[in-house]
Structure formats: structure tokens, C-alpha cells
């Protein structure tokens, strides 16, 4: 398999890893291939339509329309795809068993860093009693669409993060040798989607806030399994912290890079050791992530100011988070400390209440109950 084919497969694997268990039906299509075929569907798609992934992949999404090809919204969808724009439509679709359903569909293009489109992301859900010409400002429809767009926005951003990492990887001297490392990074992002199955507010599915404590713990387990050494123990201790999804994704990737670096380099010439990961609230909307080991130290290294792709990713993620990072290394081990602002009040009251901030990270003062 040549490098280009390998890169294409990574996109699909990213979709499989990140999207498989989402509760919303999702489709990835490739507009760079003839007729923009489906390249991935998740399990929710199979459940919604009755079609197995093997029957859907390779077809254009219009196969779900059956004989109903003259719907006005089909033309709206076609024009948006041709212009490579986002669009929301409601279509009359058919399941495998022949039954019909109203399909509320939102699609959006996903672009590489250089502006090249590599996929369309579609999120869909069956809706009842929605007229084909329903106005998007109707309260129920607007709320429903907001939920779909919110998830789509997260997925698109995370796939673009994968695309960016692939592009960085391709510049390495031997990019093929590092594809397993890239797969680990994709797995770290995929773990974030597991937290979407644990709604942060009781009775309301939300995708803009996740349990960062739970997510970081998942990342530690993944990296420990992939990069771990037989006699090196990995411990994790996190506070019940909630974060905005995008910052949580960046923090999870940063944790993955720091832990992987420790496991792969801290114990040269040593048969055993301990790596500890902690994430603690400091008060005043401040968090501290600490990754420490009792290894042999970094010697005279100036990591991550100098180093390989992993070091560059660490610097980039820390910069994106606006974090302060310090590295202290001696002959008895290394401590990496990352401090950052978390503009959402994560203090858990005795009765289970938390004070949430709004979408821009400003305090609202509104008290809401969260699970966790």
C-alpha cells in the first residue's frame, strides 16, 4: 500500500474509531471520487436505515431516496454539495424493509489545512411531523438542528485535527514508520466520544461539555495498553472536572503525548518504574495536569522545545490551550506540569450542583444539576 492509500485508510479508520458508537446516525462521503460515494457509516446509521455498512459503502446517499427522486429538497442538497457548502434538509427516505421515514439531514464539508476538501460529514435523524418546507426558525426544529450541528461541528473539528496530524506526519523522514503512533492519537481522540454517552446534565444530551476527568482516565488506559512496558506501572488520579469539548480534546491529546513520551523514553536501561498522571482543580478556574515518572531523566535535552514530531505536537497543543508548561528533570525522574484556565465552574456542591458558563466561557450564574 502506497503512502496516499495509507493516508486515505487512516481517514476511514478515524471515522470508524471516533464515530462507531455515536447515538446519532452519521455518514462520511468522499467528494474526490466519482459520484461522491459513502466511505463510512456508523452503527446508528445501520439501525436507522436497516442497511448494513457493507451495503451502503460505495453508494451515493441518494439510494436512500428509493423512487422519490423528485423531492424539492433533493435539489437543494445537490446544489450545496456542488458548491461544497453546508446545508440542512428534510428528505423522504426508505429503509431496507421498504418503510419510509422523514430524515432530517445536516451535511458539511471537511477541509485539510491547505483548504482541500477530503470529506462530507452528514448527520441524520428520523423526525416525525416535520413538513418538507418547515421553517428552520420554528422552535422545535431549531432546537433539534442545533443539537445535530453541535455534534457535526465536533466531529468535523476532530477529523480536521487528524488531517493536520497526518499532514505533519507526512513530512517526517519515514512517515510510514510512524503510522502506528498516529493510530494511537486517533484512539485518544476517539475516547472523547465515549463521554458523550454520559450526558453531563441529567435528562439532556449535551455535546459541548464533557467529563474531562473521565476522558483523561480513558486516554491513560489506551496509551498504557498501546505503549506500556511490562514492569512499568501507570497510575491516574483525576478530579471530577468538566470541560468544553474542544479544549478537552486538546487536553486529551496532550496527555497522550506526554504519557507516551514517558513510557518510551524515561526508562532506558531500567526494567521497572512508575508513571503517574494527575489532573487537579486549583481553584479560580485553573487546572493542573501533571505527568511524572521515576525514570532516568532527560539529561541535557531541551524537550519539548527541541525534538521530534511528538515534541512539536506538545508545543502546539499547549499553545492552543494557552497553557503554562514546565519540565523538571533530574537523574531520578521527570515531572511535566501543565497549568491552564478552564472557563467553566467545575466545583461540585454537596447537593450535586455545578455552576455552568455559557458557550463563550463566561459565567452565567445559573445553577444546573450535573451528573458526576
Amino acid at each position: 500500500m502506497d503512502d496516499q492509500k495509507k493516508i486515505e485508510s487512516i481517514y476511514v479508520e478515524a471515522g470508524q474509531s471516533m464515530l462507531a458508537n455515536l447515538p446519532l446516525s452519521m455518514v462520511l462521503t468522499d467528494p474526490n471520487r466519482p459520484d461522491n460515494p459513502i466511505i463510512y457509516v456508523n452503527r446508528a446509521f445501520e439501525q436507522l436505515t436497516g442497511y448494513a455498512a457493507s451495503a451502503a459503502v460505495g453508494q451515493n446517499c441518494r439510494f436512500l431516496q428509493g423512487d422519490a427522486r423528485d423531492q424539492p429538497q433533493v435539489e437543494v442538497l445537490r446544489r450545496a454539495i456542488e458548491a461544497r457548502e453546508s446545508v440542512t434538509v428534510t428528505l423522504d427516505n426508505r429503509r431496507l424493509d421498504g418503510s419510509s421515514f422523514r430524515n432530517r439531514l445536516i451535511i458539511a464539508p471537511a477541509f485539510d489545512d491547505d483548504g482541500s476538501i477530503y470529506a462530507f460529514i452528514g448527520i441524520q435523524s428520523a423526525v416525525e411531523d416535520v413538513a418538507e418546507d418547515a421553517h428552520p426558525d420554528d422552535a422545535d426544529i431549531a432546537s433539534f438542528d442545533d443539537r445535530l450541528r453541535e455534534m457535526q461541528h465536533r466531529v468535523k473539528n476532530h477529523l480536521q485535527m487528524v488531517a493536520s496530524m497526518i499532514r505533519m506526519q507526512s513530512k517526517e523522514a519515514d512517515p510510514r514508520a510512524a503510522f502506528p503512533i498516529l493510530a494511537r492519537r486517533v484512539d485518544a481522540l476517539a475516547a472523547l466520544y465515549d463521554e458523550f454517552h454520559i450526558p453531563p446534565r441529567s435528562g439532556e444530551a449535551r455535546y459541548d461539555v464533557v467529563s474531562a476527568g473521565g476522558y483523561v482516565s480513558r486516554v491513560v488506559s489506551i496509551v498504557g495498553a498501546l505503549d506500556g512496558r511490562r514492569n512499568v506501572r501507570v497510575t491516574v488520579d483525576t478530579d471530577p472536572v468538566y470541560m468544553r469539548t474542544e479544549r478537552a480534546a486538546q487536553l486529551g491529546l496532550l496527555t497522550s503525548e506526554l504519557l507516551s513520551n514517558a513510557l518510551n523514553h524515561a526508562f532506558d536501561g531500567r526494567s521497572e518504574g512508575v508513571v503517574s498522571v494527575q489532573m487537579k482543580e486549583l481553584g479560580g478556574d485553573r487546572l493542573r495536569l501533571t505527568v511524572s515518572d521515576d525514570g532516568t531523566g532527560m539529561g541535557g535535552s531541551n524537550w519539548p522545545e527541541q525534538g521530534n514530531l511528538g515534541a512539536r505536537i506538545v508545543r502546539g497543543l499547549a499553545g492552543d490551550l494557552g497553557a503554562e508548561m514546565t519540565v523538571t528533570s533530574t537523574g531520578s525522574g521527570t515531572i511535566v506540569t501543565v497549568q491552564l484556565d478552564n472557563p467553566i465552574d467545575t466545583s461540585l456542591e454537596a447537593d450535586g450542583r455545578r455552576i455552568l458558563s455559557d458557550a463563550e466561557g463566561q459565567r452565567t450564574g445559573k445553577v444546573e444539576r450535573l451528573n458526576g
Side-chain angles (χ1 to χ4, degrees), residues 92-128:
D92 185 12
N93 281 176
R94 298 289 187 272
R95 297 184 176 91
L96 177 62
D97 63 8
S99 62
S100 63
F101 67 100
R102 300 292 288 165
N103 181 12
R104 191 65 171 172
L105 171 67
I106 295 179
I107 68 164
F111 297 96
D112 283 333
D113 291 343
D114 64 358
S116 300
I117 188 171
Y118 64 83
F120 271 101
I121 301 168
I123 294 183
Q124 54 193 355
S125 184
V127 292
E128 300 295 335

Side-chain angles (χ1 to χ4, degrees), residues 216-228:
V216 166
S217 295
R218 290 178 190 271
V219 169
V220 170
S221 296
I222 289 169
V223 177
L226 294 175
D227 291 345

Side-chain angles (χ1 to χ4, degrees), residues 154-173:
R154 309 302 170 194
V155 171
K156 185 168 72 170
N157 282 353
H158 296 161
L159 285 176
Q160 287 173 335
M161 290 175 71
V162 172
S164 178
M165 288 187 290
I166 289 172
R167 189 168 298 281
M168 294 174 69
Q169 196 73 64
S170 68
K171 297 177 181 178
E172 295 294 286

